[in-house]
Amino acid sequence: MLPGIGFSEILVLGLAALIFIGPKDLPLLMRKLGQMIGKGRRMASEFQAAFDDIARQSELDELKKEIEALKRSNAMTQAAEDLAAVEADINSAVMRSSAAPEPAHEPEAPLPPPAPEDKAP
């Protein structure tokens, strides 16, 4: 029940309320007190639910940010960037080699005509 209040203290408070309020009005007072306590509990539970919703929304926002970060740093994106860099390197190497003058080739000497073969009749 209430912290620091034992059964004997509750009994004394009940007897004092019975004497000061009277037996006629005490049930009405207890009913009103119960309604107020119930209303307070409902308000507390609504506050707790709202607080939980805010916490869940905050967690969802953090998860969304993490997912977006993972999308940005996706391994496939990194691999595509690496391949694009390699392609650029290869293209620049090919362009450099095609721009450099090729060494002159010596003309090849023509092959001598084949020797006639002896045919036996």
Side-chain angles (χ1 to χ4, degrees):
M1 263 191 169
L2 299 174
I5 299 177
F7 180 72
S8 61
E9 286 93 4
I10 292 176
L11 187 62
V12 170
L13 287 174
L15 286 174
L18 185 61
I19 293 170
F20 289 115
I21 296 172
K24 210 181 206 183
D25 296 329
L26 188 60
L28 294 175
L29 179 67
M30 295 304 282
R31 180 182 169 122
K32 292 284 184 182
L33 183 64
Q35 289 174 348
M36 287 183 2
I37 290 173
K39 193 180 287 186
R41 285 185 180 175
R42 281 191 300 277
M43 289 174 56
S45 67
E46 287 176 12
F47 176 76
Q48 183 68 35
F51 185 74
D52 289 343
D53 287 342
I54 291 170
R56 267 188 248 119
Q57 185 64 33
S58 174
E59 289 174 4
L60 287 175
D61 290 341
E62 289 176 13
L63 286 175
K64 285 179 185 177
K65 288 178 185 177
E66 287 179 20
I67 289 171
E68 290 299 321
L70 287 174
K71 283 182 182 177
R72 278 186 242 120
S73 67
N74 192 350
M76 292 297 287
T77 305
Q78 183 65 32
E81 290 172 0
D82 291 344
L83 286 174
V86 169
E87 180 185 12
D89 290 342
I90 292 171
N91 286 340
S92 64
V94 168
M95 295 303 281
R96 274 187 264 131
S97 68
S98 67
E102 294 185 16
H105 292 286
E106 294 181 18
E108 294 184 15
L111 293 175
E117 295 182 22
D118 294 328
K119 292 187 181 183

